[in-house]
Amino acid sequence: MSAIPSTMRAITIPKHGGLEVIQESILPTPQPSANNVLIKVDYAGVNFRDTYVRTGLYPSSTFPVILGQEAAGTVVALPTDQKLLESEAFKRKGLSIGSRVATVATQTFAEYSSSPWLGVFKIPDSILNTIGVAAMVQGFTALTFMTEAYNVQKDDWILVHTAAGGLGLIFCQIGKSRGAHIIGTTSSPEKAELAKAHGAEHVILYNQEDTAARVLEITGGLGVHAVFDGVGKDTWEANFKLIRRKGTIVSVGNASGAVPPFPPLKLIEKNLKVLRPAVPGYMTTPEECEYYATELWKLIESGTVKIKIFKEYPFTVEGVRTSQTDITGRGTSGKLLLKVAGGSGAVAHY
């Protein structure tokens, strides 16, 4: 294993704003620490959350901020806490110097990522790094939400908004694997076919059809048992029309803007449940992290869940700007990745 350099390249923002605030910086490389695993990053995943951090929807109080929340690469340093290294929970991770790993962590648009050990997962030999990183945020989101936000069961009717996106495709596959009937929404016939190929029984073209009316038609007027909505503001009100009595609306994201405030009395008419969960709340303990990682790798290795990579972008300012333009433009289908190893560009020094 080569020596860890004193500095590294990273994609950062010096303040909140538009695409123009994205820049490349030279920063000190994180040092080995008590509870973190140091990873040399090969790939990082692109997510809507990166745009929320940039714009300030998820505000930061200190700058510069390194973007990114998932990565795959090679372990170059283990935690320095000897008691942790000797714990059964850490040993079950199977981590060592040189291990191929994927991680859910902040500040992953960098050549090196210091990730809390709980969020670092050894990638099985049969799974590529690109698939490993692409499965992190979206795979854990779909799996935990379809297990704990609403536990999808055989013969449930489930609505997945933006079913042809990276997350939507995984929702469709997990739902189908459990015997549920999946209804998806998307923007084009081509994306509709992709969603159907990944498990959606019915797909509604939201820009041509009335989503609520079609859902009620498909479900015989009853509506769906649960909605997984990553769009937010634009789809929110319709969810209350198409959900059935005692149904569950799961707010997954804010692609069109944040969900506006609403009174709890809105839930009375159908005795509804509304959740806005986050993966860390479901993967907090070592046991929870081990369980969901094991389940996710099994789904991928068995072919039950196939991860679709839409595009790889260079690890440059322009590459990150383009990826954020693409992911917010609703023209993508599948996962967007940054190829960190080997990128180059103009940098700012801090």
Side-chain angles (χ1 to χ4, degrees), residues 163-177:
L167 177 58
L169 293 175
I170 301 175
F171 272 134
C172 289
Q173 292 173 89
I174 292 177
K176 180 184 179 182
S177 74

Side-chain angles (χ1 to χ4, degrees), residues 102-303:
T103 182
V104 180
T106 57
Q107 303 186 354
T108 58
F109 286 9
E111 292 178 310
Y112 289 84
S113 173
S114 179
S115 302
W117 70 275
L118 267 178
V120 178
F121 306 96
K122 190 173 183 180
I123 301 174
D125 291 342
S126 62
I127 297 176
L128 298 172
N129 280 11
T130 50
I131 302 300
V133 64
M136 285 289 95
V137 170
Q138 293 178 343
F140 283 136
T141 297
L143 182 56
T144 59
F145 285 21
M146 280 192 151
T147 303
E148 299 200 49
Y150 178 81
N151 190 11
V152 176
Q153 302 290 320
K154 184 177 177 6
D155 292 329
D156 280 348
W157 283 95
I158 304 295
L159 178 66
V160 176
H161 284 297
T162 59
L167 177 58
L169 293 175
I170 301 175
F171 272 134
C172 289
Q173 292 173 89
I174 292 177
K176 180 184 179 182
S177 74
R178 296 184 183 183
H181 306 285
I182 307 299
I183 304 172
T185 68
T186 193
S187 60
S188 70
E190 293 77 19
K191 287 188 174 183
E193 289 306 311
L194 181 64
K196 288 179 180 179
H198 286 75
E201 281 186 36
H202 306 269
V203 181
I204 299 166
L205 300 180
Y206 64 78
N207 51 2
Q208 300 178 27
E209 303 175 87
D210 182 322
T211 298
R214 282 286 291 125
V215 167
L216 292 172
E217 178 186 346
I218 292 166
T219 60
L222 294 176
V224 293
H225 292 87
V227 178
F228 292 89
D229 183 1
V231 177
K233 179 172 64 69
D234 290 354
T235 52
W236 190 247
E237 284 303 315
N239 290 334
F240 291 90
K241 299 176 183 177
L242 55 81
I243 194 77
R244 70 174 57 193
R245 183 177 64 87
K246 298 194 290 185
T248 300
I249 300 173
V250 185
S251 176
V252 179
N254 320 285
S256 67
V259 171
F262 63 93
L265 290 173
K266 192 176 183 72
L267 309 179
I268 286 178
E269 182 182 354
K270 297 181 180 179
N271 280 10
L272 300 177
K273 302 181 187 73
V274 173
L275 296 88
R276 180 49 172 105
V279 170
Y282 294 135
M283 296 178 64
T284 300
T285 68
E287 292 77 17
E288 289 168 335
C289 290
E290 182 178 358
Y291 172 78
Y292 280 116
T294 300
E295 289 303 304
L296 183 59
W297 296 140
K298 283 181 181 177
L299 288 169
I300 295 171
E301 288 187 297
S302 68

Side-chain angles (χ1 to χ4, degrees), residues 38 55-56 61 97 263 268:
L38 187 60
T55 61
S61 57
I97 303 299
I268 286 178

